Amino acid sequence: MRYIFLVAIAILSIAAPAMAETAVGFKQLELPDDAGARKLNLSLWYPAAASGKSEIVGENAAFYGLEVQSGASFLAGSRPLVLLSHGFGGSWRNLNWIAGELVQQGYVVAAPDHAGESFTEENAAEIVPLWERPRDISRTLTALLDNDQLAGKIDRTRIAVIGHSLGGWTAMELTGARYSADLALKDCKTEKVLPQCKAPRMLGKVGIVNEGKADPRLSMDLSDVRIRAVVALDLGPAAGFLPETLKRVDVPVLVLAAGVETPEIAAIKADSEYIAGHLPKVTTVYREIPDASHFSFMQICKPNGKKIVEELSPGEGFVCRDGGGRDRAAIHRQIAEAIVGFLKVEMH
């Protein structure tokens, strides 16, 4: 493990002067359907010249949002870029909070919506196959590099991906790690509780299985050599990543795992440990946040958020549950410090 990095994080958190407050610019746009690719909705956050007119985005009855200045002018200069990949059934709103933190550190942040996803097997026909997720990220990156008018000038040598849950899976695919559906499903006949063994019709829709067999399209090379660093937040599924391909990953990776598992989301910590255990030790950092749950990485719930979620979607109020002890805002501060420190070291 990279103990030198951990020391550097401590020094940075103590010695680094606070940056002057920067306005968070925000806009949304759509990449057109071309060359057979579907339309792609993008959300963009960026350091902006303060306009004095702010609004809250990503907020609803259950969750807090982020104060931004929509359509504000870009600040001059070339900026590092962080691409966000949300979890299954989620959207850009889930990582809206970390986008705001990164903008304060000078980053441009972009998040495509991996459209068509749903929590329910009844809506599985709408789900985008897994291999489309890394392509969404690469397509977003190409659009931003090709057109400075979208998010300002991007520093091509400082590009990272942050992914939560299935977004972490997406980020690992972009590093060149390869996923084998055969490997993921090999124990399903004897171990029914494994996440990748559940809901066979859903597995078919996301692309893990095809007509009852492992789908070979998941073994495609979906890497993007333009990515220079990756942060995986409580990623999953991981059991299908081939160890030999993880060992060949040549970009720095930070794996942040939740220490609290819930009945609704089991084995995620094991997924993070699996990934970190097979990546090269010299370029990998693994950290566990003991009182974080899988959903602690998402936006902050309002005081009555759990009740509202339960009313709208019975049984899913657990998305507002953390591990006790600290509130989600405090957990977010720890997550943000770890991410910002890692990126400062790896994308200096």
Short mmCIF file of all heavy atoms in Angstrom, two decimals, residues 251-293:
data_model
loop_
_atom_site.label_atom_id
_atom_site.label_comp_id
_atom_site.label_asym_id
_atom_site.label_seq_id
_atom_site.Cartn_x
_atom_site.Cartn_y
_atom_site.Cartn_z
N VAL A 251 -2.46 3.12 -14.20
CA VAL A 251 -2.80 4.46 -13.71
C VAL A 251 -3.05 4.36 -12.21
O VAL A 251 -3.47 3.32 -11.70
CB VAL A 251 -4.04 5.04 -14.42
CG1 VAL A 251 -3.80 5.15 -15.91
CG2 VAL A 251 -5.28 4.21 -14.13
N PRO A 252 -2.81 5.44 -11.47
CA PRO A 252 -3.07 5.43 -10.03
C PRO A 252 -4.56 5.25 -9.74
O PRO A 252 -5.41 5.84 -10.42
CB PRO A 252 -2.58 6.80 -9.56
CG PRO A 252 -1.69 7.29 -10.65
CD PRO A 252 -2.22 6.71 -11.92
N VAL A 253 -4.88 4.45 -8.73
CA VAL A 253 -6.26 4.18 -8.37
C VAL A 253 -6.44 4.36 -6.86
O VAL A 253 -5.67 3.80 -6.07
CB VAL A 253 -6.70 2.76 -8.76
CG1 VAL A 253 -8.15 2.50 -8.34
CG2 VAL A 253 -6.54 2.53 -10.26
N LEU A 254 -7.45 5.13 -6.48
CA LEU A 254 -7.87 5.25 -5.09
C LEU A 254 -9.18 4.50 -4.94
O LEU A 254 -10.15 4.80 -5.63
CB LEU A 254 -8.05 6.72 -4.70
CG LEU A 254 -8.74 7.00 -3.35
CD1 LEU A 254 -7.92 6.46 -2.19
CD2 LEU A 254 -9.00 8.50 -3.18
N VAL A 255 -9.20 3.52 -4.04
CA VAL A 255 -10.42 2.77 -3.75
C VAL A 255 -10.88 3.16 -2.36
O VAL A 255 -10.17 2.94 -1.37
CB VAL A 255 -10.17 1.24 -3.81
CG1 VAL A 255 -11.47 0.49 -3.50
CG2 VAL A 255 -9.63 0.84 -5.18
N LEU A 256 -12.08 3.75 -2.27
CA LEU A 256 -12.68 4.09 -0.98
C LEU A 256 -13.85 3.15 -0.74
O LEU A 256 -14.77 3.06 -1.56
CB LEU A 256 -13.18 5.54 -0.98
CG LEU A 256 -12.11 6.64 -1.02
CD1 LEU A 256 -12.78 8.01 -1.00
CD2 LEU A 256 -11.15 6.51 0.15
N ALA A 257 -13.80 2.44 0.38
CA ALA A 257 -14.83 1.44 0.69
C ALA A 257 -15.64 1.86 1.91
O ALA A 257 -15.11 2.46 2.84
CB ALA A 257 -14.18 0.08 0.94
N ALA A 258 -16.91 1.52 1.91
CA ALA A 258 -17.77 1.75 3.07
C ALA A 258 -17.58 0.60 4.05
O ALA A 258 -17.58 -0.57 3.66
CB ALA A 258 -19.22 1.85 2.64
N GLY A 259 -17.43 0.93 5.33
CA GLY A 259 -17.24 -0.10 6.34
C GLY A 259 -18.53 -0.73 6.82
O GLY A 259 -18.51 -1.80 7.43
N VAL A 260 -19.67 -0.08 6.55
CA VAL A 260 -20.96 -0.58 7.01
C VAL A 260 -21.70 -1.22 5.85
O VAL A 260 -21.97 -0.55 4.85
CB VAL A 260 -21.82 0.56 7.60
CG1 VAL A 260 -23.20 0.05 8.01
CG2 VAL A 260 -21.10 1.19 8.79
N GLU A 261 -22.02 -2.49 5.99
CA GLU A 261 -22.82 -3.16 4.97
C GLU A 261 -24.26 -3.25 5.45
O GLU A 261 -24.52 -3.40 6.65
CB GLU A 261 -22.26 -4.55 4.66
CG GLU A 261 -20.91 -4.51 3.96
CD GLU A 261 -20.53 -5.84 3.35
OE1 GLU A 261 -21.27 -6.81 3.57
OE2 GLU A 261 -19.51 -5.88 2.66
N THR A 262 -25.18 -3.18 4.53
CA THR A 262 -26.60 -3.26 4.86
C THR A 262 -27.20 -4.46 4.14
O THR A 262 -26.65 -4.95 3.15
CB THR A 262 -27.34 -1.98 4.41
OG1 THR A 262 -27.29 -1.89 2.98
CG2 THR A 262 -26.69 -0.73 5.01
N PRO A 263 -28.34 -4.95 4.64
CA PRO A 263 -28.96 -6.10 3.98
C PRO A 263 -29.28 -5.83 2.52
O PRO A 263 -29.28 -6.74 1.69
CB PRO A 263 -30.25 -6.32 4.80
CG PRO A 263 -29.96 -5.72 6.12
CD PRO A 263 -29.07 -4.54 5.85
N GLU A 264 -29.56 -4.57 2.19
CA GLU A 264 -29.94 -4.23 0.82
C GLU A 264 -28.74 -4.25 -0.13
O GLU A 264 -28.87 -4.54 -1.31
CB GLU A 264 -30.59 -2.84 0.79
CG GLU A 264 -31.85 -2.71 1.61
CD GLU A 264 -31.56 -2.43 3.09
OE1 GLU A 264 -30.40 -2.16 3.45
OE2 GLU A 264 -32.52 -2.50 3.86
N ILE A 265 -27.56 -3.89 0.40
CA ILE A 265 -26.35 -3.86 -0.41
C ILE A 265 -25.29 -4.68 0.30
O ILE A 265 -24.62 -4.22 1.22
CB ILE A 265 -25.83 -2.42 -0.61
CG1 ILE A 265 -26.88 -1.57 -1.31
CG2 ILE A 265 -24.54 -2.41 -1.41
CD1 ILE A 265 -27.13 -1.95 -2.76
N ALA A 266 -25.17 -5.94 -0.10
CA ALA A 266 -24.22 -6.84 0.54
C ALA A 266 -23.01 -7.08 -0.36
O ALA A 266 -23.08 -6.93 -1.57
CB ALA A 266 -24.90 -8.17 0.87
N ALA A 267 -21.90 -7.42 0.26
CA ALA A 267 -20.67 -7.84 -0.43
C ALA A 267 -19.96 -6.73 -1.18
O ALA A 267 -19.00 -6.99 -1.90
CB ALA A 267 -20.96 -9.00 -1.40
N ILE A 268 -20.40 -5.46 -1.03
CA ILE A 268 -19.74 -4.38 -1.73
C ILE A 268 -18.34 -4.16 -1.18
O ILE A 268 -17.39 -3.91 -1.94
CB ILE A 268 -20.58 -3.09 -1.65
CG1 ILE A 268 -21.89 -3.26 -2.43
CG2 ILE A 268 -19.81 -1.90 -2.18
CD1 ILE A 268 -21.72 -3.38 -3.91
N LYS A 269 -18.19 -4.22 0.14
CA LYS A 269 -16.85 -4.06 0.72
C LYS A 269 -15.91 -5.12 0.17
O LYS A 269 -14.75 -4.83 -0.15
CB LYS A 269 -16.93 -4.14 2.24
CG LYS A 269 -15.58 -4.00 2.93
CD LYS A 269 -15.73 -4.11 4.43
CE LYS A 269 -14.38 -4.13 5.12
NZ LYS A 269 -14.50 -4.33 6.58
N ALA A 270 -16.40 -6.33 0.03
CA ALA A 270 -15.57 -7.40 -0.53
C ALA A 270 -15.17 -7.09 -1.97
O ALA A 270 -14.06 -7.41 -2.40
CB ALA A 270 -16.33 -8.73 -0.47
N ASP A 271 -16.07 -6.44 -2.71
CA ASP A 271 -15.75 -6.04 -4.08
C ASP A 271 -14.59 -5.06 -4.09
O ASP A 271 -13.66 -5.17 -4.90
CB ASP A 271 -16.97 -5.41 -4.75
CG ASP A 271 -17.99 -6.44 -5.22
OD1 ASP A 271 -17.62 -7.62 -5.34
OD2 ASP A 271 -19.14 -6.07 -5.47
N SER A 272 -14.65 -4.06 -3.21
CA SER A 272 -13.57 -3.06 -3.15
C SER A 272 -12.25 -3.72 -2.76
O SER A 272 -11.19 -3.41 -3.32
CB SER A 272 -13.93 -1.96 -2.14
OG SER A 272 -15.04 -1.22 -2.58
N GLU A 273 -12.31 -4.62 -1.79
CA GLU A 273 -11.09 -5.32 -1.35
C GLU A 273 -10.53 -6.18 -2.47
O GLU A 273 -9.30 -6.29 -2.63
CB GLU A 273 -11.40 -6.17 -0.12
CG GLU A 273 -11.71 -5.34 1.13
CD GLU A 273 -12.18 -6.19 2.29
OE1 GLU A 273 -12.65 -7.34 2.03
OE2 GLU A 273 -12.09 -5.73 3.43
N TYR A 274 -11.41 -6.81 -3.24
CA TYR A 274 -10.98 -7.65 -4.36
C TYR A 274 -10.20 -6.82 -5.38
O TYR A 274 -9.12 -7.20 -5.83
CB TYR A 274 -12.20 -8.30 -5.02
CG TYR A 274 -11.90 -9.10 -6.26
CD1 TYR A 274 -11.58 -10.45 -6.16
CD2 TYR A 274 -11.95 -8.52 -7.53
CE1 TYR A 274 -11.31 -11.21 -7.31
CE2 TYR A 274 -11.68 -9.26 -8.67
CZ TYR A 274 -11.37 -10.60 -8.56
OH TYR A 274 -11.10 -11.32 -9.69
N ILE A 275 -10.76 -5.67 -5.74
CA ILE A 275 -10.11 -4.81 -6.72
C ILE A 275 -8.77 -4.33 -6.20
O ILE A 275 -7.74 -4.44 -6.87
CB ILE A 275 -11.02 -3.61 -7.06
CG1 ILE A 275 -12.25 -4.07 -7.84
CG2 ILE A 275 -10.25 -2.55 -7.86
CD1 ILE A 275 -11.98 -4.59 -9.23
N ALA A 276 -8.77 -3.78 -5.00
CA ALA A 276 -7.53 -3.23 -4.44
C ALA A 276 -6.47 -4.31 -4.25
O ALA A 276 -5.27 -4.06 -4.41
CB ALA A 276 -7.82 -2.53 -3.11
N GLY A 277 -6.91 -5.52 -3.93
CA GLY A 277 -5.96 -6.61 -3.69
C GLY A 277 -5.25 -7.10 -4.93
O GLY A 277 -4.17 -7.69 -4.83
N HIS A 278 -5.84 -6.86 -6.10
CA HIS A 278 -5.22 -7.32 -7.34
C HIS A 278 -4.56 -6.22 -8.16
O HIS A 278 -3.83 -6.51 -9.12
CB HIS A 278 -6.26 -8.05 -8.22
CG HIS A 278 -6.66 -9.39 -7.68
ND1 HIS A 278 -7.82 -9.58 -6.96
CD2 HIS A 278 -6.05 -10.60 -7.73
CE1 HIS A 278 -7.91 -10.86 -6.61
NE2 HIS A 278 -6.86 -11.50 -7.07
N LEU A 279 -4.84 -4.96 -7.83
CA LEU A 279 -4.17 -3.86 -8.52
C LEU A 279 -2.72 -3.75 -8.06
O LEU A 279 -2.37 -4.20 -6.97
CB LEU A 279 -4.90 -2.54 -8.22
CG LEU A 279 -6.26 -2.34 -8.88
CD1 LEU A 279 -6.96 -1.13 -8.26
CD2 LEU A 279 -6.11 -2.15 -10.38
N PRO A 280 -1.85 -3.14 -8.87
CA PRO A 280 -0.45 -2.97 -8.45
C PRO A 280 -0.37 -2.14 -7.16
O PRO A 280 -0.95 -1.05 -7.05
CB PRO A 280 0.17 -2.20 -9.62
CG PRO A 280 -0.70 -2.51 -10.80
CD PRO A 280 -2.09 -2.64 -10.24
N LYS A 281 0.33 -2.67 -6.17
CA LYS A 281 0.39 -1.99 -4.86
C LYS A 281 1.05 -0.63 -4.95
O LYS A 281 0.71 0.29 -4.19
CB LYS A 281 1.13 -2.89 -3.87
CG LYS A 281 0.33 -4.08 -3.41
CD LYS A 281 1.07 -4.88 -2.37
CE LYS A 281 0.15 -5.94 -1.75
NZ LYS A 281 -0.51 -6.80 -2.71
N VAL A 282 2.00 -0.46 -5.83
CA VAL A 282 2.74 0.80 -5.90
C VAL A 282 1.90 1.95 -6.41
O VAL A 282 2.21 3.12 -6.15
CB VAL A 282 4.01 0.63 -6.77
CG1 VAL A 282 3.66 0.47 -8.25
CG2 VAL A 282 4.97 1.79 -6.57
N THR A 283 0.81 1.67 -7.12
CA THR A 283 -0.02 2.74 -7.67
C THR A 283 -1.45 2.72 -7.12
O THR A 283 -2.32 3.39 -7.65
CB THR A 283 -0.09 2.63 -9.21
OG1 THR A 283 -0.51 1.31 -9.58
CG2 THR A 283 1.26 2.95 -9.83
N THR A 284 -1.67 1.96 -6.05
CA THR A 284 -3.02 1.79 -5.52
C THR A 284 -3.10 2.22 -4.06
O THR A 284 -2.21 1.90 -3.26
CB THR A 284 -3.47 0.32 -5.63
OG1 THR A 284 -3.38 -0.11 -6.99
CG2 THR A 284 -4.90 0.14 -5.14
N VAL A 285 -4.16 2.92 -3.73
CA VAL A 285 -4.46 3.29 -2.34
C VAL A 285 -5.83 2.73 -2.01
O VAL A 285 -6.80 2.95 -2.74
CB VAL A 285 -4.46 4.81 -2.15
CG1 VAL A 285 -4.82 5.16 -0.71
CG2 VAL A 285 -3.10 5.39 -2.50
N TYR A 286 -5.90 1.99 -0.91
CA TYR A 286 -7.18 1.47 -0.42
C TYR A 286 -7.45 2.07 0.95
O TYR A 286 -6.61 2.01 1.84
CB TYR A 286 -7.15 -0.06 -0.31
CG TYR A 286 -8.40 -0.63 0.33
CD1 TYR A 286 -9.55 -0.82 -0.43
CD2 TYR A 286 -8.43 -0.96 1.69
CE1 TYR A 286 -10.71 -1.34 0.14
CE2 TYR A 286 -9.58 -1.48 2.27
CZ TYR A 286 -10.72 -1.66 1.49
OH TYR A 286 -11.85 -2.16 2.06
N ARG A 287 -8.63 2.67 1.10
CA ARG A 287 -9.02 3.22 2.38
C ARG A 287 -10.47 2.86 2.67
O ARG A 287 -11.32 2.91 1.77
CB ARG A 287 -8.85 4.75 2.39
CG ARG A 287 -7.42 5.20 2.20
CD ARG A 287 -7.29 6.71 2.23
NE ARG A 287 -7.57 7.24 3.55
CZ ARG A 287 -7.54 8.54 3.85
NH1 ARG A 287 -7.23 9.42 2.91
NH2 ARG A 287 -7.80 8.96 5.07
N GLU A 288 -10.72 2.52 3.92
CA GLU A 288 -12.07 2.19 4.35
C GLU A 288 -12.57 3.29 5.28
O GLU A 288 -11.84 3.77 6.13
CB GLU A 288 -12.08 0.85 5.06
CG GLU A 288 -13.44 0.42 5.56
CD GLU A 288 -13.38 -0.86 6.37
OE1 GLU A 288 -12.62 -1.78 5.95
OE2 GLU A 288 -14.06 -0.95 7.40
N ILE A 289 -13.83 3.67 5.09
CA ILE A 289 -14.47 4.63 5.98
C ILE A 289 -15.42 3.84 6.86
O ILE A 289 -16.51 3.43 6.42
CB ILE A 289 -15.20 5.72 5.18
CG1 ILE A 289 -14.21 6.41 4.23
CG2 ILE A 289 -15.85 6.73 6.12
CD1 ILE A 289 -14.84 7.44 3.33
N PRO A 290 -15.03 3.57 8.11
CA PRO A 290 -15.75 2.61 8.95
C PRO A 290 -17.23 2.88 9.15
O PRO A 290 -18.03 1.95 9.21
CB PRO A 290 -14.99 2.68 10.29
CG PRO A 290 -13.63 3.16 9.92
CD PRO A 290 -13.85 4.11 8.79
N ASP A 291 -17.63 4.16 9.27
CA ASP A 291 -19.03 4.45 9.56
C ASP A 291 -19.82 4.88 8.33
O ASP A 291 -20.94 5.38 8.45
CB ASP A 291 -19.14 5.52 10.65
CG ASP A 291 -18.43 6.82 10.28
OD1 ASP A 291 -17.65 6.81 9.32
OD2 ASP A 291 -18.66 7.83 10.97
N ALA A 292 -19.26 4.67 7.16
CA ALA A 292 -19.98 4.99 5.92
C ALA A 292 -20.71 3.76 5.42
O ALA A 292 -20.21 2.63 5.49
CB ALA A 292 -19.02 5.48 4.85
N SER A 293 -21.91 3.97 4.89
CA SER A 293 -22.63 2.91 4.18
C SER A 293 -22.43 3.13 2.68
O SER A 293 -21.84 4.13 2.26
CB SER A 293 -24.12 2.95 4.52
OG SER A 293 -24.75 4.04 3.85
#
